[in-house]
C-alpha cells in the first residue's frame, strides 16, 4: 500500500493539521502494511499557481514536474491531507496541488451520462483544522464540503475527516480539540483493503 501525505498549513510547528496529519500517518503505519510513504510540504515546497503557461505546457521542465505530481497521486492508495480552513476554504497552496491532479482524461472525464471520476479505489483522510466551529453541514464551510465534492468528482467517495475545530477560541480549546481528534484515531480504522 502506498500512502501519500501532504501538508498545507502556513503555521509551521504551531499547526494543528500538521500535528494531526502526522498522528494519522503514524496510526496507519502502526496498523496497516504501508509499503511507502511519500511526503510533500506544500507550504515549504509549493506547487506553482496554475497559469496559462502551465496549461499550455510550453515549459518542458514544469510540464515534467506536473506529470510527476499527477503520477504520484495516481500511484497512491491512501492520501492523508493536512487541510486547514483558510478564509472558509482551503489554503491556496493546496488548491495549486489540486489544480495539477484534477485533469480531464486522467482523473475525470465527461460522458453522455455526466461526469465520471477515474480515480476510484483510493482512500482520502483529511486532517482538518478550523479556528471556529462549523460541525458537519455549515453553509459557511467551503473547506471540507469542497474537498468532499472535489474527490467525489474524481471518483473517490471514501473520504473521512479527522477534525480539530474551535481551535481559535482559546489555547485550552485548541488542546482539547486536538486531543479529541487524536483520540478518535484510537477507534479502529476500517480494515485497509
Ligand atoms: C490565513 C488564515 C485564514 C483563516 N481563516 C479561517 C476561517 O475562515 N475560518 C476559521 O474558522 N478559521 C480560520 N483560520 C484559523 C484556522 O482554520 C485554524 O488556525 C486552523 O488551526 C488552521 O490549521 P493549521 O493550524 O494547521 O494551520 C484561519 C487561519 C489563517 C492563518
Amino acid at each position: 500500500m502506498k500512502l501519500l501525505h501532504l501538508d498545507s498549513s502556513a503555521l509551521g510547528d504551531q499547526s494543528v493539521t500538521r500535528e494531526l496529519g502526522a498522528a494519522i500517518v503514524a496510526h496507519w503505519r502502526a496498523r496497516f502494511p504501508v509499503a511507502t510513504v511519500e511526503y510533500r510540504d506544500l507550504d515549504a515546497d509549493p506547487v506553482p499557481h496554475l497559469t496559462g503557461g502551465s496549461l499550455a505546457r510550453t515549459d518542458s521542465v514544469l510540464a515534467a514536474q506536473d506529470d510527476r505530481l499527477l503520477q504520484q497521486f495516481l500511484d497512491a492508495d491512501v492520501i492523508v491531507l493536512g487541510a486547514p480552513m483558510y478564509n472558509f476554504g482551503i489554503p491556496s497552496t493546496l488548491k495549486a496541488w489540486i489544480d495539477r491532479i484534477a485533469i480531464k482524461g486522467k482523473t475525470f472525464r465527461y460522458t453522455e451520462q455526466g461526469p465520471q471520476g477515474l480515480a476510484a479505489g483510493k482512500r482520502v483522510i483529511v486532517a482538518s483544522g478550523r479556528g471556529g466551529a462549523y460541525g458537519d453541514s455549515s453553509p459557511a464551510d467551503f473547506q471540507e464540503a469542497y474537498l468532499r465534492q472535489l474527490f467525489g468528482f474524481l471518483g473517490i467517495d471514501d473520504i473521512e475527516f479527522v477534525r480539530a475545530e474551535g481551535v481559535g477560541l482559546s489555547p485550552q480549546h485548541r488542546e482539547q480539540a486536538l486531543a479529541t481528534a487524536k483520540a478518535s484515531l484510537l477507534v479502529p480504522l476500517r480494515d485497509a483493503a
Side-chain angles (χ1 to χ4, degrees):
M1 176 199 306
K2 291 185 174 176
L3 189 152
L4 174 61
H5 177 198
L6 300 173
D7 271 323
S8 61
S9 168
L11 298 185
D13 59 11
Q14 295 303 306
S15 161
V16 166
T17 58
R18 285 175 186 270
E19 190 170 331
L20 204 46
I24 294 168
V25 172
H27 186 72
W28 268 76
R29 291 190 99 136
R31 282 159 188 79
F32 301 123
V34 177
T36 60
V37 176
E38 296 198 9
Y39 175 73
R40 181 155 184 169
D41 183 339
L42 294 169
D43 181 70
D45 181 18
V47 175
H49 285 297
L50 189 74
T51 62
S54 47
L55 271 181
R57 293 173 64 86
T58 43
D59 182 322
S60 60
V61 174
L62 288 180
Q65 282 175 11
D66 286 354
D67 291 346
R68 279 198 295 277
L69 271 187
L70 175 62
Q71 197 57 51
Q72 186 182 46
F73 169 71
L74 291 172
D75 288 345
D77 303 297
V78 179
I79 296 139
V80 175
L81 207 56
M85 177 184 274
Y86 284 177
N87 298 317
F88 305 104
I90 58 169
S92 58
T93 48
L94 178 55
K95 178 61 167 52
W97 176 82
I98 288 170
D99 287 340
R100 297 319 203 284
I101 58 110
I103 308 286
K104 193 172 130 188
K106 302 285 188 187
T107 50
F108 72 90
R109 70 180 170 204
Y110 294 112
T111 72
E112 296 290 329
Q113 290 73 41
Q116 181 189 14
L118 302 176
K122 300 182 191 304
R123 189 166 172 189
V124 174
I125 305 163
V126 178
S128 168
R130 300 145 148 200
Y134 298 82
D136 286 328
S137 57
S138 166
D141 171 18
F142 298 93
Q143 171 217 18
E144 293 186 9
Y146 168 71
L147 291 170
R148 192 181 294 285
Q149 166 66 27
L150 182 275
F151 286 109
F153 183 76
L154 303 184
I156 306 171
D157 296 321
D158 195 346
I159 177 165
E160 139 185 19
F161 294 88
V162 182
R163 180 191 300 150
E165 67 175 353
V167 303
L169 296 176
S170 73
Q172 291 74 22
H173 281 89
R174 181 185 186 281
E175 286 318 303
Q176 186 56 51
L178 254 177
T180 303
K182 285 183 184 174
S184 75
L185 300 177
L186 298 176
V187 177
L189 287 166
R190 197 182 64 244
D191 281 349

